[in-house]
Amino acid sequence: MSRKLASPIVAFQALIMALAFAPVLTTEAAAQSRDQDQRSQDRGPRVSPDEARRRGGEAGGGRPIDTQPRRDGNYSVLVERDGRVREVVVDGQTGQARQGGSDNTQRRRPN
């Protein structure tokens, strides 16, 4: 009879121990997540906004008007050429420029 009672008590003690260590595991997991976020921020843009502006102007074949950082770490550069404004996206890591969107995104600059 004592043997059957010991089994639930041992199981209960094991449950108590598991719950006691659960916050420690959760805190450790949160710390690892913060470390990963910090590492991704350390990789931030290697290209300065001025360099992105220059490269965007060259790629768009016109005069850069505005440069804005994007959430993905790249830069959005508005370039004026022949009275039209187009967006050029400059990679924040490599500095490579590419046209933003389709040609339908071009618009006339207001006078």
Side-chain angles (χ1 to χ4, degrees), residues 11-26:
F12 181 71
Q13 287 176 340
L15 177 64
I16 297 277
M17 293 299 291
L19 291 176
F21 288 110
V24 173
L25 295 174
T26 304

Side-chain angles (χ1 to χ4, degrees), residues 8 14 22-24 32 37 43 49 52-53 58 63 68-69 75 77 85-86 99-101 104 110:
V24 173
Q32 287 176 349
D37 290 343
R43 288 183 313 177
R53 182 181 183 97
E58 289 173 358
R63 181 175 64 92
Q68 293 291 320
Y75 292 97
V77 181
V85 177
R86 53 178 57 104
Q99 296 294 324
N104 295 335

Side-chain angles (χ1 to χ4, degrees), residues 36-90:
Q36 288 173 348
D37 290 343
Q38 184 63 34
R39 281 193 298 268
S40 66
Q41 288 175 356
D42 290 343
R43 288 183 313 177
R46 290 185 285 178
V47 176
S48 70
D50 291 334
E51 180 69 11
R53 182 181 183 97
R54 185 183 66 75
R55 291 186 183 191
E58 289 173 358
R63 181 175 64 92
I65 299 172
D66 189 26
T67 305
Q68 293 291 320
R70 294 167 38 133
R71 288 183 180 181
D72 59 4
N74 296 332
Y75 292 97
S76 174
V77 181
L78 295 180
V79 178
E80 178 188 13
R81 178 179 161 198
D82 299 330
R84 294 189 181 269
V85 177
R86 53 178 57 104
E87 178 185 25
V88 177
V89 178
V90 177

